[in-house]
Amino acid sequence: MKKAVLVLAGGKGERIWPVSRRNVPKFFLKIGKKSLIQDAVLRGGRISGLKNVFVVCGENHRYLIKDHLAEAGINLSLENILPEPEGKNTACAIAFGIKFLLAKKENPVVFVLPADHLIKDEKKFLSVLKQAGKLAQEDMIVTVGIKPCSPHTGYGYIKINTKCKMKDVKFARVEKF
């Protein structure tokens, strides 16, 4: 299975102001030894190999991201840092990245990772993604998430249909979003 990873590094940097700002969004913040984006790119490299990791970002962050990754010894090619023509939303960023991969005449299983998430149990997370990748090979779109602890209209809702299990990972068919 050919794999590629899109790391989404967008947003306005307003969620945890004043620590993050428009010029220094939260994915640049170090939580531990590395920043959130450094961890995300390394995590992506464990999935697909670093040459198949692509960061989708705003034009104003392209070179900052390149330099920031290099500070941690991550030498991601500038060609793998994809500046969006205009920041819109998550779906547009994903479509932009997919269009880039299709233009390269590749048809990989694509893993989309946010640049600003803290993953505490990376081993388990990568195991879940491995199982999700197998489902994706069967022409399925797979979304991975956590069970919310309370309702929040800002995140939307997923209505599930049938449930199934692969190894120790639970999956469910989505009826609608």
Side-chain angles (χ1 to χ4, degrees):
M1 151 174 61
K2 179 139 177 73
K3 303 173 199 168
V5 173
L6 294 177
V7 175
L8 303 181
K12 297 179 182 172
E14 298 171 343
R15 281 259 161 98
I16 54 175
W17 183 91
V19 182
S20 71
R21 300 169 303 286
R22 183 172 297 278
N23 292 334
V24 188
K26 71 178 174 180
F27 54 79
F28 284 116
L29 299 177
K30 286 189 178 182
I31 299 179
K33 294 180 181 177
K34 293 186 176 52
S35 71
L36 293 169
I37 191 169
Q38 290 166 342
D39 280 339
V41 169
L42 288 171
R43 190 176 303 119
R46 289 183 193 93
I47 296 167
S48 66
L50 202 54
K51 68 182 176 95
N52 296 310
V53 175
F54 301 88
V55 177
V56 178
C57 64
E59 179 63 50
N60 58 329
H61 291 135
R62 185 178 196 197
Y63 295 98
L64 287 172
I65 288 171
K66 170 85 171 125
D67 292 344
H68 183 74
L69 293 173
E71 288 173 13
I74 305 166
N75 295 309
L76 195 66
S77 169
L78 194 57
E79 288 76 35
N80 288 44
I81 303 175
L82 313 175
E84 293 180 275
E86 182 179 350
K88 289 289 185 187
N89 60 37
T90 303
C92 291
I94 294 169
F96 176 74
I98 298 289
K99 184 178 178 184
F100 173 84
L101 292 172
L102 291 174
K104 291 179 60 156
K105 306 288 187 218
E106 296 184 16
N107 190 24
V109 170
V110 180
F111 296 80
V112 179
L113 305 177
D116 61 358
H117 283 193
L118 177 64
I119 307 294
K120 290 185 178 180
D121 189 345
E122 188 168 289
K123 184 177 178 183
K124 182 174 182 179
F125 182 70
L126 293 174
S127 173
V128 169
L129 291 184
K130 184 176 181 180
Q131 299 306 312
K134 289 177 183 177
L135 290 173
Q137 279 186 285
E138 298 173 21
D139 288 333
M140 292 185 196
I141 296 173
V142 182
T143 183
V144 175
I146 58 172
K147 189 173 182 174
C149 56
S150 63
H152 192 297
T153 57
Y155 297 118
Y157 296 89
I158 299 173
K159 183 175 182 183
I160 63 170
N161 194 327
T162 56
K163 295 180 181 180
C164 60
K165 192 172 183 177
M166 271 178 97
K167 291 194 175 186
D168 62 339
V169 180
K170 295 176 187 175
F171 290 94
R173 292 201 178 270
V174 173
E175 187 173 314
K176 67 180 180 177
F177 286 89

